[in-house]
Amino acid sequence: MDNIQTEEPVLITGLNTEQEDFDYSMTELAELAQANHMKVIDRIDQSIDRPNPATYFGTGKVDEIKEAVLAENISTVITNDELTPSQLRNLEDELGCRVLDRTALILEIFAERAQSKEAKLQVQIAELQYRLPRLQTSANQRLDQQTGGGSGFTNRGSGETKLEMNRRTIQNSISHLRKELRVIDRSEEVKRKQRDKSAIPTAALVGYTNAGKSTIMNGLVEKYGASEDKTVFEKDMLFATLDTSVRQLTLPDQKRFLLSDTVGFVSKLPTHLVESFKSTLAEAANADLLIQVIDASDPHYEDMMKTTQETLKQIGIENIPMLYVFNKADKTDMEYPVLEGDDQIVISAKDDESLDLLVSAIRKHLFQDYVEAKMLIPFADGNVVSYLNENTNILNTEYQNSGTVLTVELSQKDYDKYQKYVIQ
């Protein structure tokens, strides 16, 4: 029998407090629900100045949602904002079903999609940080039952002790997980430093989830990657992959660079997750070039660009050159591939000419310091000729009695290293 995953029937809800992007965020909430194997049965909104501190929605709207839950056999109600512990408890009591806020929904998706040990640890930390302030809710319920609302001081004390024990357990777990994560981080930092020593320039794909970063990565790996390089997982859904992948690409003229594919962003990305994934995004923080991939076919692409910029700033990634890649042009009436100025390009990631133009744009950004030189290398220094043939762009080769004459295009670092052979 096929293992078919049934979709849970859910109702999505939100408060419109006069935000310009409300409809966009609700559309995104529905997509997040679908990414979590849920089927959106209905949507209920309320326009209001501020959330009700007790139940998030106003009393009348809570009744409307409850009627929809009963009429449509809804198992879970999802809210577009993060709820306070008391709002979450009160809504579940009123509605008689599970209530999931946007933060908890994203955490569920991340928990399922995390593959590497690093990503799993990061998600676990974020989940525990989300749960910690919500312990008060369940503890108060136990406390009320134990005291009977009256004078059972001893029982109340035991309830408080239980709460402190739960808090301490979670805090100890967070501390332990962070220690494990630091060990991995140190290992990754060593790898990054080794790559830095190699002087190979780096580029990082960043942007909204499902904009096509992994498709671009795979297209470039297939064209320019080593034979043993593996493509990365890609699928048309939000947060298809959470792990950062790094591949070395070698262009036909022997220019090499590292390309990393990072976790995608989404609006209202939970703070705990942003903090947890800082280490994963270190590849982007240390890149020589950021390649922001934008879904040009999405009517909200400007909002997505804004979210990407805000998230990058939030995690301290600023002042790195940015190439803006408007992808999925094949789903629009835009012409492609087209290079607009030095930093904007319109492509379709599945189009070979688009990938060639993208590489050309990347090349201009990453290899600006390359210089052309003519070198005379004695036959006794054949190892230098071998290195230059393998690692630089040889424009011309001549043989003279005194040695090999190479006209070569190479990095400033290699030029400085072999300057003694330069004849012009």
Side-chain angles (χ1 to χ4, degrees):
M1 291 179 63
D2 293 334
N3 186 19
I4 300 174
Q5 190 159 14
T6 57
E7 292 185 322
E8 179 185 358
V10 300
L11 170 71
I12 61 171
T13 61
L15 289 185
N16 185 359
T17 55
E18 298 184 358
Q19 309 106 293
E20 290 182 5
D21 62 348
F22 176 71
D23 283 330
Y24 157 63
S25 68
M26 288 298 293
T27 299
E28 188 177 81
L29 184 67
E31 292 175 352
L32 287 167
Q34 290 163 7
N36 200 36
H37 315 293
M38 295 169 163
K39 183 176 181 180
V40 178
I41 304 298
D42 203 354
R43 165 182 163 177
I44 295 178
D45 309 336
Q46 182 176 23
S47 295
I48 195 170
D49 291 337
R50 63 183 65 87
N52 184 316
T55 54
Y56 183 64
F57 299 103
T59 305
K61 190 60 65 172
V62 171
D63 292 338
E64 181 184 339
I65 295 170
K66 185 175 182 179
E67 290 176 7
V69 166
L70 294 172
E72 302 182 64
N73 198 27
I74 300 295
S75 61
T76 299
V77 170
I78 304 173
T79 64
N80 195 32
D81 296 302
E82 185 172 320
L83 300 176
T84 65
S86 59
Q87 286 172 335
L88 183 63
R89 182 190 70 229
N90 293 336
L91 267 181
E92 287 189 334
D93 289 345
E94 290 284 343
L95 301 178
C97 70
R98 181 171 79 133
V99 176
L100 201 64
D101 64 23
R102 186 185 183 99
T103 298
L105 174 62
I106 293 174
L107 285 170
E108 282 194 2
I109 296 170
F110 272 52
E112 182 192 24
R113 303 282 164 78
Q115 295 295 321
S116 69
K117 184 175 181 181
E118 182 181 20
K120 288 177 180 178
L121 288 172
Q122 290 164 333
V123 173
Q124 287 175 41
I125 291 170
E127 286 179 320
L128 290 172
Q129 288 175 319
Y130 173 80
R131 281 176 51 195
L132 193 57
R134 286 157 182 79
L135 283 178
Q136 187 67 42
T137 302
S138 57
N140 278 349
Q141 287 177 318
R142 285 196 302 273
L143 202 60
D144 291 342
Q145 293 167 355
Q146 290 167 345
T147 62
S151 58
F153 180 81
T154 303
N155 284 338
R156 182 180 64 196
S158 65
E160 289 172 342
T161 301
K162 178 68 173 176
L163 172 60
E164 289 304 320
M165 286 175 62
N166 287 339
R167 278 181 176 161
R168 197 177 304 116
T169 298
I170 288 184
Q171 287 168 340
N172 288 341
S173 295
I174 291 173
S175 178
H176 176 72
L177 291 169
R178 280 179 171 159
K179 286 179 182 177
E180 284 192 66
L181 191 57
R182 280 196 292 271
V183 172
I184 296 175
D185 288 346
R186 282 196 291 270
S187 174
E188 291 301 316
E189 181 63 24
V190 169
K191 291 179 184 178
R192 278 192 288 272
K193 286 181 178 178
Q194 289 173 341
R195 291 198 290 266
D196 289 343
K197 286 181 181 178
S198 70
I200 299 177
T202 60
L205 295 162
V206 298
Y208 224 71
T209 179
N210 207 31
K213 297 186 300 299
S214 297
T215 305
I216 289 175
M217 177 75 146
N218 286 339
L220 294 180
V221 167
E222 287 171 2
K223 285 175 71 72
Y224 304 111
S227 58
E228 67 272 14
D229 272 347
K230 296 179 181 178
T231 56
V232 298
F233 179 74
E234 63 175 278
K235 191 172 181 180
D236 185 16
M237 65 180 181
L238 302 188
F239 300 118
T241 179
L242 304 182
D243 299 308
T244 295
S245 302
V246 181
R247 302 288 186 269
Q248 178 174 297
L249 305 182
T250 304
L251 305 182
D253 60 4
Q254 300 304 315
K255 290 186 177 71
R256 292 179 295 164
F257 68 98
L258 296 174
L259 182 66
S260 62
D261 178 23
T262 62
V263 63
F265 303 143
V266 70
S267 65
K268 301 181 183 179
L269 193 62
T271 303
H272 299 321
L273 271 177
V274 173
E275 285 296 318
S276 295
F277 274 80
K278 272 186 178 179
S279 58
T280 300
L281 291 164
E283 295 293 346
N286 292 291
D288 299 299
L289 174 68
L290 297 180
I291 304 169
Q292 184 179 163
V293 183
I294 302 138
D295 181 357
S297 69
D298 194 300
H300 304 291
Y301 75 86
E302 290 182 347
D303 293 310
M304 294 176 174
M305 292 176 70
K306 183 180 178 183
T307 294
T308 298
Q309 291 295 139
E310 289 174 349
T311 307
L312 288 171
K313 186 176 181 180
Q314 188 178 353
I315 57 182
I317 300 178
E318 296 183 271
N319 303 317
I320 298 176
M322 178 89 73
L323 178 63
Y324 298 89
V325 178
F326 293 86
N327 187 32
K328 303 187 183 182
D330 53 309
K331 296 182 178 180
T332 73
D333 57 2
M334 302 169 70
E335 288 186 27
Y336 71 92
V338 174
L339 181 63
E340 300 177 354
D342 292 327
D343 62 355
Q344 295 189 27
I345 183 170
V346 182
I347 69 163
S348 167
K350 297 184 178 180
D351 171 58
D352 203 53
E353 290 184 16
S354 291
L355 293 178
D356 288 341
L357 187 61
L358 174 57
V359 166
S360 177
I362 294 171
R363 185 199 305 266
K364 288 180 181 178
H365 282 275
L366 290 183
F367 303 105
Q368 291 178 350
D369 71 332
Y370 270 52
V371 295
E372 186 176 322
K374 196 169 186 177
M375 297 181 177
L376 172 59
I377 304 164
F379 291 122
D381 293 342
N383 60 315
V384 176
V385 175
S386 297
Y387 174 86
L388 294 173
N389 274 307
E390 291 174 9
N391 296 282
T392 69
N393 184 23
I394 304 297
L395 302 174
N396 189 52
T397 303
E398 298 175 24
Y399 298 100
Q400 298 181 359
N401 293 333
S402 54
T404 306
V405 178
L406 297 179
T407 304
V408 60
E409 185 186 21
L410 72 175
S411 68
Q412 187 65 50
K413 181 178 179 181
D414 280 340
Y415 178 87
D416 294 340
K417 182 178 180 182
Y418 299 110
Q419 191 171 15
K420 69 179 182 179
Y421 300 109
V422 175
I423 55 176
Q424 70 180 56

